[in-house]
Amino acid sequence: MGRINQEKSGVLIVQLLGLIFTFLLALQLLILAFDLLGQRYVEQIIVATSNPFINLFIGLLATAIIQSSSTITSLTVVAVAANTLSLESAVFIVMGANIGTTVTSTLASVSHVSQRKEFRKAIAAATLHDFFNIFTTLILFPLEYYFGVLSSLARTLSAAIQGGAPGDHHHIPNPLGRLFTPITQSINSFLGNNSFITLITGSVLLFVAIRTISYLLKPKWEKQTSKVLEQSLFGHPFKALLSGTVITGIMQSSSVVSTLIVPMVATNKLSLRRVFPFIMGANLGTTFTALVAAFSKSETALSIAFTHILFNIIGVLLFFPATPLRNLPLWFARRLGNATLSNRLYGFAYIILTFFIIPFFLIFFSQKSAIKQNTSSKTPSIIKAKEVQKNKGSQ
């Protein structure tokens, strides 16, 4: 039996190493694709992402659709590394991705819809993650928009690691780039040197690698759940916070980890108050993927990874120590849960409106308005967009 377990562990390690290789290869493919896109497409992306509100909802909607904030933040890091996206624009996409990642656990709560009381607790557990990220965004969005708090702090941290003053433009040595260049060039040639096909291929590989790592490790988590839950994960709020961080860092998916919590709350095995620190920890753990993606890229790419980390750390510092603030997301989650007890349609309406309909229409109408403004103006839109980015960067 021990020998069989050792063989299974060996197979698991080999699989994980293969997936990590795939993950790193996907990142290098994406950088190559962005480099090949050309200045014209870069300018279009700059114009499209010049509105912070659009960026926020792009991050939310994109993450809700593919159900992986790790993929979206990694793609954002790559776009910043390739100078396709500015740090100031990327910050708001990361904020939206933090909200969008909660859709998986919220959708998982629907599986309890046949049991009214279970559904009430399940929707409350799932939306607790939502409200934590929503309230953190409500606090940090204006601070970043008016004062550049997150981007300035992130630049300072990345400059401290790399050396030099914040805002210096230099690249972190990229041994991975040299290692993967022959492979990525061969793949790109095989795909007909088409930057769009290479971009799609890299995105798919990135998504598949992250999701497969999550599902590969998920059974290991489920087998140990009943044994260690009360003893080692939720015994103390700080222990729950640390456990959520470590487990999510290993599994590379806060969506999967928070989804596993929902049925435990729904079936009265855990209370909302006890799982909240664990959920905050899961938010911290999910930043690991973007950090790995950034470390072999430019200092600006490292800055956006630090922005993701700072967003979640500040959220934890706001809601974890202060009980009155910690009760705020709990209160909203319970209220929504109680509303579904009288009518389960409230739960469905919340999911559809928050994650899909509202973001889609806000993006659509904002873009339409931006296009009208650009076409009616005498000054070319791309010059305006560049001036906005330049001015915000110099503040």
Side-chain angles (χ1 to χ4, degrees):
M1 183 66 70
R3 187 175 164 182
I4 293 173
N5 289 333
Q6 284 181 353
E7 288 177 357
K8 286 182 178 179
S9 298
V11 171
L12 178 64
I13 291 169
V14 171
Q15 289 174 327
L16 287 173
L17 288 173
L19 288 166
I20 291 168
F21 177 85
T22 305
F23 170 75
L24 295 172
L25 175 63
L27 292 175
Q28 298 303 318
L29 264 180
L30 289 167
I31 285 188
L32 176 62
F34 279 120
D35 286 339
L36 294 172
L37 276 174
Q39 186 64 26
R40 184 166 63 89
Y41 296 109
V42 170
E43 290 175 349
Q44 289 176 359
I45 291 171
I46 290 171
V47 172
T49 58
S50 61
N51 187 321
F53 295 97
I54 295 177
N55 296 345
L56 179 74
F57 289 109
I58 284 173
L60 196 163
L61 184 62
T63 309
I65 290 170
I66 71 170
Q67 298 188 33
S68 175
S69 65
S70 296
T71 302
I72 296 301
T73 50
S74 296
L75 286 169
T76 305
V77 165
V78 169
V80 171
N83 295 318
T84 306
L85 191 64
S86 72
L87 176 64
E88 288 74 21
S89 295
V91 169
F92 299 104
I93 294 175
V94 169
M95 286 186 186
N98 272 275
I99 299 173
T101 192
T102 61
V103 70
T104 309
S105 57
T106 310
L107 288 171
S109 66
V110 176
S111 63
H112 298 271
V113 69
S114 59
Q115 301 293 325
R116 193 179 291 270
K117 290 184 178 179
E118 279 192 17
F119 185 50
R120 173 178 67 87
K121 292 177 182 177
I123 200 78
T127 55
L128 183 58
H129 198 181
D130 303 0
F131 287 119
F132 169 69
N133 284 307
I134 288 169
F135 281 116
T136 304
T137 300
L138 287 174
I139 294 167
L140 291 179
F141 187 96
L143 291 176
E144 173 60 28
Y145 183 77
Y146 291 108
F147 307 108
V149 171
L150 285 176
S151 52
S152 298
L153 281 172
R155 276 198 178 99
T156 302
L157 284 171
S158 59
I161 288 176
Q162 174 63 20
D168 285 353
H169 294 283
H170 49 264
H171 285 262
I172 297 170
N174 186 3
L176 288 176
R178 289 192 291 271
L179 176 67
F180 283 97
T181 294
I183 305 173
T184 54
Q185 293 288 358
S186 299
I187 293 173
N188 185 56
S189 298
F190 177 76
L191 296 173
N193 295 312
N194 188 307
S195 56
F196 286 107
I197 295 176
T198 303
L199 183 67
I200 292 168
T201 304
S203 301
V204 170
L205 280 175
L206 185 72
F207 176 75
V208 169
I210 290 173
R211 297 297 283 184
T212 308
I213 289 171
S214 300
Y215 287 115
L216 199 62
L217 293 173
K218 184 178 175 181
K220 300 292 180 185
W221 155 257
E222 288 178 334
K223 286 177 184 177
Q224 299 301 321
T225 297
S226 58
K227 299 178 183 178
V228 300
L229 267 182
E230 295 294 330
Q231 300 170 5
S232 57
L233 296 188
F234 300 97
H236 187 274
F238 183 76
K239 190 182 285 187
L241 180 75
L242 186 62
S243 300
T245 304
V246 173
I247 290 169
T248 308
I250 293 170
M251 296 186 72
Q252 295 191 38
S253 176
S254 61
S255 301
V256 172
V257 173
S258 57
T259 299
L260 292 169
I261 295 298
V262 170
M264 297 174 193
V265 177
T267 54
N268 285 326
K269 291 177 182 175
L270 291 168
S271 67
L272 272 182
R273 189 173 295 277
R274 295 186 77 180
V275 302
F276 192 20
F278 185 87
I279 288 170
M280 286 190 263
N283 255 34
L284 286 175
T286 196
T287 63
F288 178 74
T289 308
L291 191 61
V292 170
F295 250 110
S296 61
K297 311 298 183 297
S298 67
E299 185 186 308
T300 311
L302 189 58
S303 295
I304 193 60
F306 277 128
T307 298
H308 193 199
I309 294 169
L310 286 167
F311 176 90
N312 289 294
I313 287 177
I314 292 171
V316 170
L317 291 175
L318 286 169
F319 292 100
F320 183 74
T323 304
L325 280 177
R326 200 192 305 179
N327 287 336
L328 192 61
L330 282 166
W331 186 84
F332 275 90
R334 285 185 179 129
R335 291 284 292 181
L336 182 60
N338 290 335
T340 60
L341 191 61
S342 58
N343 191 332
R344 279 169 277 199
L345 287 176
Y346 285 116
F348 290 102
Y350 168 82
I351 294 169
I352 295 168
L353 287 170
T354 304
F355 295 105
F356 300 102
I357 294 178
I358 292 175
F360 175 80
F361 279 104
L362 284 173
I363 292 168
F364 177 77
F365 287 116
S366 297
Q367 285 289 77
K368 208 170 182 181
S369 175
I371 291 168
K372 284 182 181 178
Q373 288 177 2
N374 288 332
T375 53
S376 64
S377 173
K378 292 180 181 180
T379 307
S381 59
I382 185 60
I383 295 175
K384 284 186 176 182
K386 285 182 176 178
E387 286 176 354
V388 170
Q389 298 296 342
K390 186 177 179 182
N391 291 335
K392 290 194 77 175
S394 62
Q395 287 178 354

